[in-house]
Amino acid sequence: MKLDDAAAHLEALGNPTRLKIYRTLIRAGGAGMPVGRLQDKLKIAPSTLSHHIKALVVVGLVTQVREATTLVCHANYSVMRELVDFLVAECCTESAAPPDAKTAA
Amino acid sequence: MKLDDAAAHLEALGNPTRLKIYRTLIRAGGAGMPVGRLQDKLKIAPSTLSHHIKALVVVGLVTQVREATTLVCHANYSVMRELVDFLVAECCTESAAPPDAKTAA
DNA sequence: ACTATATTTCTAGAATTATCGAAATAATAG
DNA sequence: CTATTATTTCGATAATTCTAGAAATATAGT
């Protein structure tokens, strides 16, 4: 994952409301959760909720599947895993230096 | 780590400039790096750089130690590790449900 | 076609953020 | 104390984000 992509993902998660949305979807498991149920659970105005969900969708952290009149949201585990991998590989230890670095200890 | 704290940390890292700053400090290792050298490396106006560094400092991701006239910045590994632990524990798998959840599979 | 439910898009205002030049402050040397 | 280097704070502007009400759209049922 490129740094700019990682930053975009981090920014999407870097808002308490969106992080709550995302965590709720993770806890919903593979079945996901419709937008309306998220709205009931989190008590957010529909337009505001839609706005935040969209922010998560555009970076790929959440996907949506229509089921009749409801839109079911799913957390995308693999994107989150890529993000965590980026953080661990590039931002967690001194071994985060690139292989060609002349600064290796 | 609380959700709001995690969101604050994610927001701090969720900007390409700040993520570059943080990664540069990680790669600098335990010695850290002075503000001025960050400025040379990343080519950011001093006031802008100071602004971004401050954002990382207030959430604890970066610490600063003065050495004579220069301020040396250090990435705080442990805070990053706490953040990654939060993401893995709460936001990565279905096992992210709280222990008392009735929805456990 | 009409109705109902679910969700998004539009619009707008308040608040926050990013950027940077200029001035101010901190630490040291002379 | 003055000068010098390093860094921050101030002030201003442009851009973005957050919030939510109102209107619009999508899907299905009658």
Side-chain angles (χ1 to χ4, degrees):
Chain A
M1 181 177 290
K2 294 274 187 59
L3 182 138
D4 282 356
D5 293 324
H9 290 117
L10 292 165
E11 183 182 33
L13 293 170
N15 170 284
T17 301
R18 283 197 296 272
L19 190 53
K20 270 179 206 124
I21 292 169
Y22 187 81
R23 188 175 64 171
T24 304
L25 291 177
I26 286 285
R27 290 181 175 177
M33 188 177 285
V35 174
R37 189 133 166 261
L38 278 169
Q39 208 243 299
D40 286 348
K41 277 209 155 197
L42 303 177
K43 309 293 181 198
I44 313 168
S47 57
T48 304
L49 178 59
S50 184
H51 167 77
H52 283 305
I53 291 176
K54 191 176 179 182
L56 292 167
V57 169
V58 297
V59 298
L61 279 161
V62 167
T63 58
Q64 292 178 304
V65 176
R66 187 169 277 283
E67 282 185 19
T69 54
T70 72
L71 250 190
V72 181
C73 304
H74 298 265
N76 187 336
Y77 302 96
S78 67
V79 170
M80 173 58 95
R81 226 158 358 233
E82 282 175 45
L83 176 59
V84 170
D85 286 349
F86 174 91
L87 290 177
V88 170
E90 303 250 3
C91 296
C92 264
T93 70
E94 288 193 47
S95 66
D100 58 334
K102 304 256 170 45
T103 54
Chain B
M1 182 178 289
K2 293 277 186 60
L3 183 137
D4 282 355
D5 293 325
H9 290 116
L10 292 166
E11 184 182 33
L13 293 170
N15 170 284
T17 301
R18 282 196 297 272
L19 190 53
K20 271 179 207 124
I21 292 169
Y22 187 80
R23 189 175 63 172
T24 302
L25 290 177
I26 286 285
R27 291 181 175 176
M33 188 178 286
V35 174
R37 187 133 167 261
L38 278 170
Q39 207 242 301
D40 285 346
K41 278 210 155 197
L42 303 178
K43 308 294 182 194
I44 313 168
S47 55
T48 305
L49 177 61
S50 183
H51 167 77
H52 284 305
I53 291 175
K54 190 176 179 181
L56 292 167
V57 168
V58 296
V59 298
L61 280 162
V62 167
T63 58
Q64 292 179 304
V65 177
R66 187 170 276 284
E67 281 184 21
T69 54
T70 72
L71 249 190
V72 181
C73 304
H74 298 265
N76 187 335
Y77 302 96
S78 66
V79 170
M80 173 57 94
R81 228 163 351 239
E82 281 175 46
L83 176 59
V84 170
D85 286 348
F86 174 91
L87 290 178
V88 170
E90 304 250 2
C91 294
C92 265
T93 71
E94 288 192 47
S95 66
D100 57 334
K102 304 253 169 51
T103 54

